[in-house]
Amino acid sequence: MKKTVSRRAFLKGGLAGTVAATTLLNSKSSEAAGSFEGYPEGMGVLVDLTRCVGCRSCEAACNLEQGLPEPAKPFDDYSVFDEIKHGEKRRTDETRYTVVNSYDVPGMEHPLFRKVQCNHCQEPACLTSCFVNAYTKTPEGAVIYNSKVCVGCRTCMVACPFYIPTFKYSSAFDPKIMKCIFCYDTRLKDGLPPACVEACPQEALTFGKRSDMIEAGRQRIKMNPDKYVDHIYGEHEVGGTAWMYLSSAPFDKVGFDTHVPKEPILNSVKDFLSIVPMVLTIWPGLFVGFHLLATRKDAAKKIEEEKKEVKS
Amino acid sequence: MRTRNKLLHCALALAIGTALSGPFTANAMDASDAPDLITIDSLTNLYGPVEFDHAMHADLADCALCHHHTTGIPAQDPNCLRCHATSGEADTVACADCHTADRFNKDYLESLDDPMLYHVDKPGLKGAYHINCIGCHVEVGAPSGCQDCHVMNDSGQQMFKTGDYAPDPQDHNNGGH
């Protein structure tokens, strides 16, 4: 009696075996990767667009603190707000970790200003996309980057929902990712606020524990319901960010992407990605085993035949 | 003996207090109690000092508009009034005595954890000045540009890469990325 195994059944068995092995071997680590709510003592910044006057002090302070190259225009030149490149307002690049853009909102007498920099996600997509672990989310709340291990694949630039990591294309010998690091090295790790926050004259940037910043944001909205949109951008966006925003205009009118998911970017690929290493490590062995088992009789026959030939 | 001394002191303090507060401004300060000109020099690392004409501003607005409840005149902000409607004149009316200059100092931030404290979101000194001044100046059409109030000094120009430190347009004229 010969039992034939169809190709489909064969593959199904292989997949089932892999899933079983994954569940058995990986149950502990997959549990741990379930959800990360962020470090409880992590710091954050609440950016209040209704307070910002577009003075660009934060840009100047950042340039000085991070030792960035000289800007094309002085930081007290407000003509930069009219700059449009490739149909877009100014964005961060290798020479500037933060920019302030101006938005004319219909029905509002004065423009609203929005500061752009790394939002320091609770569960950063750049970090999870990096296969050499060049990124770290520190307990203080910063997402920092280690250029020594970076291989320059730039996956983080694709992964970031806010288009923040930029590449230092200008340097052939020392190319690296350039982005805001929350002034981690020089300030945050010592409990000091980042340079931009300290420079802000209007306290449009308020620094404190992330949980306190959410409280402060809620309080401001509650006290001035007519002034603010009832939403703190960054409280839940992409699983929460350390930098959060209050606005008097709908967020999509002032340059925010309101279509980003409310859970970490990682969640969209986590289930698939957790199977990849198992497929890569188990399938080859498993199928080689199947192959050897299936061809065992043929091989034995061949050897016997060979022996016969030698004898005769 | 000690208690008697204390009582005497209290009586003396009361007497002086009553004598100082005029008959019409009972329990409330008056603009004339303040200096006419106040030099604000907390940002002198980047800007020249601001000569604030207190007398002129006192003519334009009620004390409470800037000083909240501290002068003994009822506050205008409904949030302040929740607690301070009848709290009278405060020990101090100077901005810097309530609005700390070191707003994001670690110890200060930790002190905000006190559940009895409602002032958790109180701006620091720099924030208080600018939010109050610019808010009003924009509203009434008064000057509101940075250097309308304080002129940048040399180190300010250095930080803002302007004036003597302005970038040479030739260096950035390549038109590329």
Side-chain angles (χ1 to χ4, degrees):
Chain A
M1 203 178 85
K2 200 182 171 192
K3 199 182 174 193
T4 50
V5 181
S6 75
R7 189 168 170 270
R8 179 168 293 180
F10 179 70
L11 284 172
K12 257 187 194 167
L15 190 64
T18 310
V19 170
T22 313
T23 329
L24 282 172
L25 293 172
N26 221 23
S27 58
K28 223 176 182 183
S29 63
S30 62
E31 228 171 77
S35 72
F36 175 66
E37 303 274 314
Y39 292 106
E41 297 292 301
M43 305 303 279
V45 174
L46 183 66
V47 185
D48 191 332
L49 271 67
T50 69
R51 285 189 183 176
C52 181
V53 292
C55 71
R56 301 185 65 210
S57 296
C58 50
E59 290 187 44
C62 176
N63 178 278
L64 185 70
E65 179 78 15
Q66 297 296 331
L68 295 170
E70 183 183 70
K73 289 177 185 169
F75 286 111
D76 61 348
D77 183 338
Y78 305 114
S79 69
V80 296
F81 294 136
D82 302 325
E83 282 178 16
I84 299 282
K85 214 174 200 173
H86 307 304
E88 278 182 42
K89 289 180 184 289
R90 297 191 306 150
R91 53 169 295 183
T92 56
D93 63 28
E94 61 178 275
T95 67
R96 50 195 187 197
Y97 291 167
T98 186
V99 292
V100 175
N101 285 326
S102 166
Y103 292 85
D104 288 313
V105 181
M108 272 192 192
E109 231 174 283
H110 301 286
L112 277 180
F113 297 96
R114 174 203 172 202
K115 181 181 183 295
V116 185
Q117 77 296 306
C118 175
N119 286 323
H120 299 275
C121 303
Q122 298 292 86
E123 208 169 326
C126 57
L127 182 153
T128 46
S129 75
C130 180
F131 71 96
V132 292
N133 279 343
Y135 285 94
T136 310
K137 173 82 177 172
T138 76
E140 297 87 349
V143 177
I144 56 170
Y145 158 82
N146 178 5
S147 65
K148 289 202 179 98
V149 297
C150 175
V151 295
C153 73
R154 285 159 281 160
T155 311
C156 51
M157 293 168 61
V158 181
C160 175
F162 305 113
Y163 305 99
I164 291 303
T166 59
F167 201 62
K168 195 175 177 184
Y169 289 107
S170 64
S171 167
F173 298 105
D174 185 26
K176 56 182 175 183
I177 294 290
M178 304 286 277
K179 76 162 200 74
C180 158
I181 53 163
F182 216 144
C183 289
Y184 180 76
D185 297 345
T186 49
R187 291 164 161 274
L188 191 71
K189 71 173 162 64
D190 302 319
L192 296 170
C196 52
V197 169
E198 201 169 270
C200 180
Q202 282 279 99
E203 223 170 276
L205 312 174
T206 309
F207 171 79
K209 247 195 261 173
R210 181 177 185 269
S211 51
D212 289 345
M213 293 300 96
I214 295 171
E215 289 295 312
R218 288 201 185 124
Q219 178 74 1
R220 280 187 209 173
I221 293 171
K222 198 177 161 195
M223 297 316 299
N224 307 280
D226 300 335
K227 185 175 167 188
Y228 292 106
V229 171
D230 187 10
H231 182 68
I232 304 174
Y233 188 95
E235 185 182 357
H236 300 298
E237 275 77 6
V238 297
T241 54
W243 281 63
M244 294 168 290
Y245 304 83
L246 290 179
S247 171
S248 51
F251 282 96
D252 57 345
K253 298 277 184 290
V254 282
F256 288 89
D257 184 352
T258 49
H259 298 292
V260 290
K262 292 281 184 286
E263 53 179 354
I265 300 295
L266 174 69
N267 284 11
S268 351
V269 291
K270 195 148 61 176
D271 295 339
F272 164 71
L273 284 177
S274 63
I275 291 200
V276 170
M278 283 301 143
V279 168
L280 290 179
T281 53
I282 290 179
W283 276 28
L286 199 64
F287 289 127
V288 166
F290 282 159
H291 173 76
L292 289 176
L293 278 173
T295 56
R296 194 175 45 142
K297 277 182 185 163
D298 292 346
K301 226 182 218 173
K302 220 178 185 182
I303 290 168
E304 251 169 51
E305 275 170 13
E306 273 171 13
K307 272 183 190 167
K308 269 182 193 168
E309 265 173 38
V310 171
K311 273 181 187 170
S312 65
Chain B
M1 194 60 190
R2 245 186 160 177
T3 0
R4 211 166 138 206
N5 254 346
K6 249 190 191 167
L7 270 176
L8 263 174
H9 279 140
C10 283
L12 200 66
L14 258 178
I16 292 173
T18 323
L20 277 179
S21 54
F24 300 109
T25 58
N27 211 17
M29 274 191 111
D30 191 67
S32 59
D33 297 333
D36 289 342
L37 203 66
I38 296 169
T39 305
I40 303 173
D41 55 1
S42 47
L43 281 182
T44 42
N45 56 334
L46 300 173
Y47 301 93
V50 178
E51 298 296 338
F52 176 69
D53 190 342
H54 188 270
M56 188 263 277
H57 285 87
D59 282 343
L60 294 174
D62 279 343
C63 305
L65 189 68
C66 297
H67 287 285
H68 320 299
H69 62 90
T70 58
T71 55
I73 295 163
Q76 299 185 346
D77 188 333
N79 190 34
C80 307
L81 282 172
R82 295 197 301 174
C83 301
H84 293 294
T86 54
S87 62
E89 194 182 310
D91 293 339
T92 171
V93 296
C95 308
D97 289 335
C98 287
H99 296 278
T100 172
D102 202 2
R103 167 71 174 85
F104 302 114
N105 172 289
K106 208 175 178 182
D107 296 332
Y108 179 75
L109 289 181
E110 270 163 25
S111 74
L112 297 179
D113 279 344
D114 185 352
M116 294 304 285
L117 192 68
Y118 281 116
H119 295 154
V120 280
D121 199 19
K122 181 172 67 184
L125 186 60
K126 185 166 61 170
Y129 279 139
H130 285 99
I131 293 169
N132 225 344
C133 297
I134 298 179
C136 205
H137 273 220
V138 168
E139 218 170 273
V140 301
S144 57
C146 304
Q147 300 206 50
D148 292 339
C149 285
H150 36 53
V151 179
M152 218 179 259
N153 63 23
D154 189 70
S155 55
Q157 288 189 356
Q158 220 168 335
M159 176 169 142
F160 278 81
K161 307 281 185 297
T162 187
D164 297 340
Y165 306 91
D168 185 352
Q170 289 295 317
D171 296 348
H172 298 273
N173 218 4
N174 49 20
H177 284 98

